[in-house]
Amino acid sequence: MNLGLQDKVALVTAASRGLGRAVAMELAREGARVAICARQEGPLSEAADAIRQTTGAEILAVPADVSDPQGVERVVEATLSRFGRIDILVTNAGGPPPGRFLDFTPADWEAAVQLTLMSVVRLCYAVVPTMRAQKSGSIVAMTSVSVKQPLPNLILSNSLRLAVVGLVKTLADELAPDGIRVNAVCPGWTKTERVEQLLRDRAARNGTSVEEEEAKITAAIPLGRMATPEEFARAVAFLSSPAASYITGISLLVDGGLYRGV
Ligand code: NAD
């Protein structure tokens, strides 16, 4: 299927590695020009080089922290100044720290709100006026399967990602008359560097192997394995593209069947 992404301009945040990088790579492979950001210049420019070399696409790398209002402003301004438009915004950020309610203070909640919720809010404030002027645009917010089924030991993520879904659903309604679609995508267990580190930590803590820890997780996944970042990225590329022109306001699970609800 032709996704219709040729020459579209996409901004993918938090994309020096993991899911964000895989999404940027997939959009570039489909012919989009892509702006990416992450906090550290070194890994970011390494990612940009790798995407350029693999796809031949035009890639703009802007060091920026999406939990910082000025970081959001900087990356959006740089994207508009280079490409003159933004067709696709994929919001991503690092996950808030794991833990249970009594592990955190209100200050921890404030920091997580900036990272997980306000980054999406600010990115939308910065990009929506351009999309409205264009009379078209597609926003995809990366969340987690936890918005359908809260995960143990992740109270900050479980709580704040639901606010992102509320934002997505409401914006889908408000912005549809302007030709702007707004969706969420919800990864389940996907084998990124972060998850590989998590498996190593669990193995060290439990005196087991990485394979044993992975098997405990995949036992609950009907497809019997974790996703690859590329599998997740293909779903995002579709959802963000003109091929999904009648889809707005959804939360698309990419979880191998982990969520058992209907
Ligand atoms: P990762 O740690 O491998 O990659 C995170 C990326 O975000 C890196 O490029 C990092 O540099 C960048 N980043 C982190 N904080 C940032 C900030 N404040 N500003 C700009 N860039 C920042 O993580 P991942 O596995 O790719 O996960 C991405 C997101 O998806 C996270 O929020 C994670 O919680 C969520 N998620 C991941 C999974 C999974 O299985 N991998 C499942 C559900 C949800």
Side-chain angles (χ1 to χ4, degrees):
M1 189 195 321
N2 180 357
L3 298 182
L5 287 167
Q6 198 65 40
D7 294 327
K8 297 282 185 209
V9 174
L11 167 57
V12 183
T13 61
S16 64
R17 66 175 208 179
L19 300 180
R21 175 172 168 156
V23 168
M25 179 76 84
E26 190 62 29
L27 292 171
R29 194 177 278 128
E30 289 292 330
R33 293 170 284 165
V34 186
I36 60 175
C37 82
R39 289 161 302 177
Q40 291 177 319
E41 189 147 13
L44 180 68
S45 64
E46 186 272 318
D49 287 345
I51 299 170
R52 265 185 222 111
Q53 274 166 21
T54 307
T55 66
E58 193 178 347
I59 307 296
L60 173 68
V62 186
D65 181 339
V66 292
S67 67
D68 170 7
Q70 286 171 352
V72 167
E73 240 170 68
R74 199 165 51 246
V75 66
V76 172
E77 271 170 18
T79 307
L80 287 172
S81 129
R82 166 73 81 92
F83 297 118
R85 57 186 293 119
I86 298 179
D87 300 294
I88 294 164
L89 167 65
V90 180
T91 68
N92 182 37
R100 298 162 70 88
F101 185 67
L102 293 177
D103 297 331
F104 295 117
T105 64
D108 297 320
W109 281 83
E110 295 284 359
V113 165
Q114 295 304 317
L115 178 68
T116 303
L117 174 62
M118 290 310 295
S119 62
V120 188
V121 170
R122 290 194 177 103
L123 281 161
C124 289
Y125 273 123
V127 166
V128 164
T130 296
M131 289 184 168
R132 286 185 87 178
Q134 293 168 181
K135 281 279 167 207
S136 75
S138 169
I139 299 172
V140 176
M142 285 170 51
T143 63
S144 166
V145 64
S146 68
V147 303
K148 297 285 184 185
Q149 184 168 286
L151 298 170
N153 203 41
L154 281 172
I155 192 162
L156 297 175
S157 170
N158 291 342
S159 305
L160 299 172
R161 291 188 196 282
L162 276 168
V164 174
V165 167
L167 172 74
V168 162
K169 194 71 189 155
T170 311
L171 278 183
D173 204 20
E174 290 187 8
L175 298 178
D178 296 302
I180 303 169
R181 297 183 300 107
V182 190
N183 292 291
V185 68
C186 314
W189 284 96
T190 313
K191 235 173 171 192
T192 60
E193 292 90 329
R194 194 182 69 89
V195 166
E196 277 164 9
Q197 180 62 51
L198 193 85
L199 290 174
R200 284 196 291 276
D201 290 349
R202 284 191 185 186
R205 200 163 0 104
N206 299 334
T208 55
S209 67
V210 165
E211 290 71 26
E212 282 171 282
E213 290 302 326
E214 187 170 345
K216 285 187 211 165
I217 291 168
T218 55
I221 303 174
L223 286 182
R225 61 178 177 82
M226 294 190 184
T228 65
E230 292 73 27
E231 287 177 302
F232 172 76
R234 286 199 294 273
V236 179
F238 166 71
L239 195 56
S240 70
S241 77
S245 52
Y246 201 60
I247 301 177
T248 195
I250 69 159
S251 293
L252 177 66
L253 285 162
V254 187
D255 71 343
L258 176 64
Y259 172 60
R260 296 306 204 279
V262 290

